[in-house]
Amino acid sequence: MGRRIFRWLDERLNLGPVKIALLNEPIPGGASWIYVFGSITLFFFLLQMVTGMFLAIYYSPSTEHAYMSVRYIMDEVAFGSFIRGLHHWGASAMMVVIGLHMLQVFLYGAYKRPRELMWIVGVVLLILTLAFGFSGYLLPWDQRAYWATQVGINIVGTIPLVGDSLVRIIRGGQNLGAMTLNRFYALHTLFLPWLVMALVALHLFVLRRVGPAGPWDEVRAARLQEPFWPKQVAMDAVAIGLAFLIVVAFAIGSPAPLADPANPSDTSFMPLPEWYFLFYYQLLKYLEGPWEIVGTLVLPILFFAALFLLPWLDRRRERRPFSRSVVMSAGAGFLVLVFTLLTISIWEVASLPKIDPSVHRGKVLYQELDCAGCHRIHGEGEAFAPDLSYVGDYRDRDWLIRHFKDPQAVVPDSDMPEYGLNEQELNDLTNYMLVLKR
């Protein structure tokens, strides 16, 4: 059936030359599992586009509705939680495989002449992938997104001379708010996808013009030549299938997180970026004061300049790793530094005190009872009854429990009704009130 369809299309569109160009490309040294990472990266980019389009159907890019639209996707839309999970974990998977792809190219010396342009395009795609991760992180408009983005923008603000101007451009004003969310949404869904698609096309075009580099052993590369179809295609398909199943397992077993709605007044919130930025945030902890500019400007410029200039910094024709000791040592040192900082950061995050489950249940109960219809906490809610932002500073456990049991007995003129809370609910709500302190 498939052959008949192809034959029918071939008679009308002359697909033979296209098939030769796409599938008959010779691979020096033959097909290999080490070459699958480029195809997996492309697959995850397409997965992000497809899942992102489905999410965009329900998402509302406004500070008033962004969080609730994501909550609606998670709780009400059929397969919404699963689709968002695919999008969330697909982003992490894309970061992993693009890193492995560039590591394979680096190890094989495939950036050397005549493939300099292909390497440069790949570095730009890496930068755009990081921009995808940063811009998409804000869109749920929850506490994690708001404060991690705030920290990221503040880092940009440390750049001398132009830092303040760049911050205003990114925010769209003086504060992180509606204009910021709109700009990040446009960047994430309009500008970046088109840029990436154009650069992926250029990347593949250059690959077809100069051909794959193959193994660093030139004798082996010259001895064996295999076309891309069918062996390498089969390897790519198997690898893509396995990678997709891993992401599916994460999407089902660990749904994408969603914290409380963004609260600009809650300065006590501990901001944490996605894991692929953790090593950089950890590095900045060690570069404070006059050294801050080194971490926010000098090191990033040096790193990406080294990546762009690598084909000219390593100009020897030899591609064997052991013959490129300086370059390989620098690459190994960078990886050791990154994974060391990442390990330290993950350890510190794991050591942070976790919220008491009772406090969490009390917060949920506060929302279910619609207490915000009368009380205000850090600017959220109505002001008909006393502000509870810092109630833990002037009320103790005994007073709170007695008040929740019989409000009029404790405060005779209180309009608060008796909710008939059981012992656990009384304890949970009281514990939540007690953490509301300055």
Side-chain angles (χ1 to χ4, degrees):
M1 182 65 179
R3 290 184 178 181
R4 278 188 288 178
I5 294 175
F6 178 81
R7 191 182 304 117
W8 187 88
L9 292 172
D10 187 30
E11 291 174 355
R12 289 152 180 81
L13 301 175
N14 189 24
L15 296 178
V18 178
K19 177 184 176 183
I20 293 173
L22 294 179
L23 300 180
N24 289 1
E25 179 74 27
I27 302 175
S32 173
W33 291 104
I34 199 67
Y35 303 145
V36 302
F37 297 115
S39 297
I40 301 175
T41 304
L42 178 58
F43 167 79
F44 277 125
F45 170 66
L46 296 176
L47 178 68
Q48 293 303 97
M49 287 192 64
V50 173
T51 54
M53 286 188 289
F54 280 104
L55 293 174
I57 294 173
Y58 298 96
Y59 179 74
S60 176
S62 69
T63 53
E64 292 80 12
H65 304 107
Y67 179 85
M68 291 310 300
S69 65
V70 176
R71 174 59 67 191
Y72 179 79
I73 291 171
M74 297 284 288
D75 297 340
E76 303 296 335
V77 177
F79 302 106
S81 179
F82 176 66
I83 296 298
R84 183 167 180 255
L86 286 180
H87 196 75
H88 173 79
W89 292 111
S92 291
M94 187 173 174
M95 291 292 181
V96 171
V97 293
I98 198 173
L100 291 174
H101 181 49
M102 295 200 72
L103 183 61
Q104 180 264 317
V105 173
F106 177 80
L107 183 64
Y108 275 54
Y111 51 81
K112 293 175 177 287
R113 184 179 179 182
R115 298 174 182 83
E116 302 97 328
L117 181 58
M118 189 165 63
W119 171 260
I120 290 174
V121 174
V123 174
V124 177
L125 284 171
L126 172 64
I127 295 172
L128 294 181
T129 302
L130 294 172
F132 258 123
F134 183 68
S135 60
Y137 197 64
L138 178 65
L139 301 188
W141 202 249
D142 62 357
Q143 283 284 71
R144 294 181 60 199
Y146 181 90
W147 289 106
T149 304
Q150 187 76 276
V151 172
I153 293 176
N154 290 342
I155 291 173
V156 176
T158 63
I159 300 176
L161 302 179
V162 298
D164 291 340
S165 298
L166 289 176
V167 166
R168 284 195 296 271
I169 292 172
I170 295 172
R171 286 178 178 165
Q174 294 296 327
N175 299 306
L176 198 160
M179 284 298 296
T180 317
L181 183 60
N182 282 330
R183 293 190 177 201
F184 274 55
Y185 180 71
L187 180 68
H188 191 74
T189 61
L190 298 175
F191 291 90
L192 289 177
W194 284 106
L195 280 173
V196 170
M197 284 190 290
L199 288 172
V200 166
L202 178 60
H203 196 66
L204 294 175
F205 172 77
V206 176
L207 174 64
R208 287 294 179 260
R209 299 305 299 168
V210 301
W216 59 69
D217 186 344
E218 295 185 358
V219 175
R220 178 189 167 196
R223 185 174 64 248
L224 178 62
Q225 297 273 331
E226 280 186 332
F228 186 66
W229 169 270
K231 191 173 180 179
Q232 188 63 53
V233 171
M235 288 180 173
D236 287 359
V238 170
I240 288 172
L242 290 175
F244 180 63
L245 289 176
I246 293 173
V247 171
V248 168
F250 273 96
I252 295 174
S254 182
L258 186 65
D260 294 332
N263 182 4
S265 64
D266 184 10
T267 56
S268 64
F269 188 83
M270 179 69 70
L272 288 174
E274 279 289 8
W275 65 268
Y276 38 82
F277 289 122
L278 276 176
F279 80 93
Y280 181 58
Y281 276 57
Q282 188 67 31
L283 174 65
L284 294 179
K285 293 180 182 180
Y286 305 125
L287 300 173
E288 298 179 342
W291 291 97
E292 185 180 47
I293 190 65
V294 176
T296 58
L297 182 63
V298 177
L299 291 180
I301 289 177
L302 290 177
F303 171 71
F304 285 109
L307 283 183
F308 280 115
L309 297 175
L310 182 59
W312 293 273
L313 295 174
D314 183 19
R315 290 182 294 179
R316 293 180 58 191
R317 181 178 177 82
E318 179 62 57
R319 292 198 291 123
R320 294 176 182 272
F322 294 110
S323 300
R324 298 182 287 133
S325 57
V326 175
V327 173
M328 296 302 295
S329 297
F334 172 74
L335 290 178
V336 169
L337 176 64
V338 167
F339 282 105
T340 300
L341 292 173
L342 181 60
T343 301
I344 294 173
S345 183
I346 292 175
W347 177 267
E348 290 184 358
V349 170
S351 301
L352 290 174
K354 305 299 187 296
I355 186 171
D356 185 344
S358 177
V359 173
H360 177 71
R361 290 194 301 269
K363 188 173 184 179
V364 172
L365 182 60
Y366 178 91
Q367 296 168 348
E368 291 177 348
L369 296 176
D370 193 27
C371 299
C374 294
H375 296 278
R376 179 172 294 181
I377 296 179
H378 300 304
E380 295 289 331
E382 301 297 335
F384 301 118
D387 192 306
L388 301 178
S389 300
Y390 309 109
V391 64
D393 285 330
Y394 55 86
R395 298 299 185 192
D396 59 22
R397 176 179 295 276
D398 179 67
W399 189 95
L400 288 168
I401 289 180
R402 287 189 294 108
H403 182 61
F404 292 147
K405 283 183 177 180
D406 189 355
Q408 283 71 35
V410 179
V411 182
D413 59 346
S414 174
D415 293 327
M416 180 175 170
E418 292 185 35
Y419 287 103
L421 303 178
N422 59 39
E423 289 301 318
Q424 179 177 315
E425 290 172 333
L426 284 169
N427 186 62
D428 292 342
L429 190 58
T430 300
N431 285 338
Y432 175 51
M433 293 294 106
L434 290 174
V435 301
L436 297 176
K437 299 182 178 182
R438 295 185 186 276

